[in-house]
Amino acid sequence: MPHKQVELYCCPSAPLLTSLAAPVAAPSLACMNLHMGELLIRQVLQGAIMVASCFQIFVGFSGLIGFLMRFIGPLTIAPTITLVALPLFESAGNEAGAHWGIAAITIFFIVLFSQYLKNVPVPVPAYKRSRKCHFSKIYLFQIFPVLLGLSITWLVCFALTVSNVFPSNPEAYGYAARTDSKGDVLSKAPWFRFPYPGQWGVPTISVAGVFGIIAGVISSMVESVGDYYACARLSGAPPPPKHAINRGIGVEGIGCLLAGAWGTGNGTTSYSENVGALGITRVGSRIVITAGGCVMLLTGMFGKVGAVFASIPSPVIGGMFMVMFGVISAVGVSNLQVK
């Protein structure tokens, strides 16, 4: 670390500590903590993620992960997929536990739309040159069960918030179900922000940070292999071949490299919740996934849109996670099925 930075972040002297007790010095202390946070992101995360991602790229594109797959059978894949979801129920329970009633409503609507109303067509206005304006029947409940369930429960939370049914005390049970529980995140979010590589400064490398991220990368690769098999089973496709697994792990490594360069503070991996969404919606088209990725790129640049999703109450998210993780666990156990 340069000498100037050492002087900046060294322990303050006793007179300085006394002066910091005054209200006037509070902004200086906050500014100092901000600089230390940026330094931590650059040194421990950004550079470490970029170096560890090179290891994942090598494992994927060298064919090493595909070579190991010859020693992996259903008895290995089944517990791998199941164990991907079971530990996540703790975080889902913490979110849903903020208000179990709202979480239960979310679960009810998602299960209702995806399991019982999926074959019910809904007439939607459409237009064609040959038929002009007409009504076309679309299976909305089968395509958008999660989105519809979240939206309806979100509106319920908004109505209960406006009518002050939920407590206004942050320490009271049920406060997290309020639509304004996360503060004024929507008003503070910028309309447009373009992220760019190195926005936190020049990446630095910490040996301890690199080995820590590599440990996470190894566990992420194991989880991703389970996700690949889960996706194939949910979409009705045959088990993924070795070359597809190699390509998937390698591309995930490229994603981690880009995430480290952009300074996101985390890598990229197969998201287990999306596997659950595939099982509920029965939509496994790669075109849909590509379109969803483009939408995420746009929402990342328009801060207001991302802030809207960030303001979803925690119990609503927890209820959705409960359904998603349940689907993944069931898929893991189903790999033991004898054909």
Side-chain angles (χ1 to χ4, degrees):
M1 184 180 294
H3 177 68
K4 184 181 296 184
Q5 289 184 348
V6 173
E7 290 182 351
L8 179 60
Y9 297 109
C10 63
C11 296
S13 59
L16 180 58
L17 287 174
T18 304
S19 63
L20 287 176
V24 179
S28 301
L29 183 60
C31 182
M32 178 178 174
N33 291 333
L34 178 61
H35 286 300
M36 293 182 68
E38 292 183 0
L39 180 65
L40 181 64
I41 291 176
R42 291 206 317 263
Q43 183 177 18
V44 181
L45 292 178
Q46 192 171 354
I49 291 174
M50 295 178 68
V51 175
S53 64
C54 296
F55 170 76
Q56 185 172 3
I57 293 173
F58 169 77
V59 171
F61 290 120
S62 66
L64 179 60
I65 190 70
F67 172 78
L68 296 176
M69 289 304 298
R70 68 176 63 183
F71 307 106
I72 300 176
L75 291 178
T76 306
I77 295 298
T80 299
I81 298 176
T82 304
L83 291 175
V84 165
L86 289 180
L88 299 177
F89 273 104
E90 181 179 359
S91 61
N94 292 335
E95 297 285 339
H99 196 292
W100 283 107
I102 295 299
I105 293 175
T106 307
I107 296 173
F108 169 77
F109 279 119
I110 294 178
V111 173
L112 176 66
F113 295 150
S114 63
Q115 302 300 318
Y116 298 100
L117 298 180
K118 60 181 180 180
N119 295 323
V120 177
V122 178
V124 177
Y127 175 82
K128 283 186 178 180
R129 287 186 177 182
S130 58
R131 301 177 59 184
K132 301 300 180 179
C133 293
H134 65 283
F135 285 93
S136 178
K137 294 183 178 181
I138 300 177
Y139 295 92
L140 289 178
F141 297 120
Q142 183 180 4
I143 301 174
F144 304 112
V146 178
L147 182 61
L148 291 174
L150 288 179
S151 301
I152 293 175
T153 314
W154 199 354
L155 291 175
V156 171
C157 291
F158 177 75
L160 296 178
T161 300
V162 174
S163 58
N164 289 324
V165 174
F166 293 136
S168 57
N169 183 10
E171 302 297 330
Y173 176 80
Y175 174 79
R178 295 180 63 94
T179 54
D180 58 355
S181 62
K182 298 182 180 179
D184 51 351
V185 61
L186 184 61
S187 60
K188 289 185 176 180
W191 280 102
F192 181 81
R193 182 181 184 275
F194 186 78
Y196 55 90
Q199 56 186 330
W200 300 110
V202 179
T204 57
I205 299 174
S206 169
V207 177
V210 169
F211 279 100
I213 299 298
I214 287 179
V217 165
I218 294 175
S219 63
S220 171
M221 289 189 291
V222 175
E223 178 184 356
S224 295
V225 171
D227 287 338
Y228 299 161
Y229 276 86
C231 284
R233 191 170 186 85
L234 287 172
S235 59
K242 297 177 183 178
H243 63 84
I245 295 176
N246 291 331
R247 185 170 61 247
I249 296 298
V251 171
E252 284 189 17
I254 295 177
C256 289
L257 182 63
L258 296 176
W262 261 258
T264 61
N266 60 279
T268 58
T269 185
S270 301
Y271 202 47
S272 301
E273 286 82 350
N274 291 339
V275 179
L278 189 149
I280 294 176
T281 61
R282 299 297 178 182
V283 177
S285 172
R286 287 182 292 180
I287 298 178
V288 175
I289 304 300
T290 303
C294 295
V295 171
M296 292 181 65
L297 289 174
L298 292 176
T299 55
M301 291 186 290
F302 294 95
K304 295 293 184 183
V305 179
V308 169
F309 289 102
S311 63
I312 299 177
S314 299
V316 179
I317 300 297
M320 178 192 67
F321 282 170
M322 287 293 215
V323 179
M324 301 294 189
F325 300 152
V327 171
I328 299 171
S329 300
V331 170
V333 176
S334 66
N335 276 271
L336 297 175
Q337 181 180 359
V338 179
K339 296 184 180 180

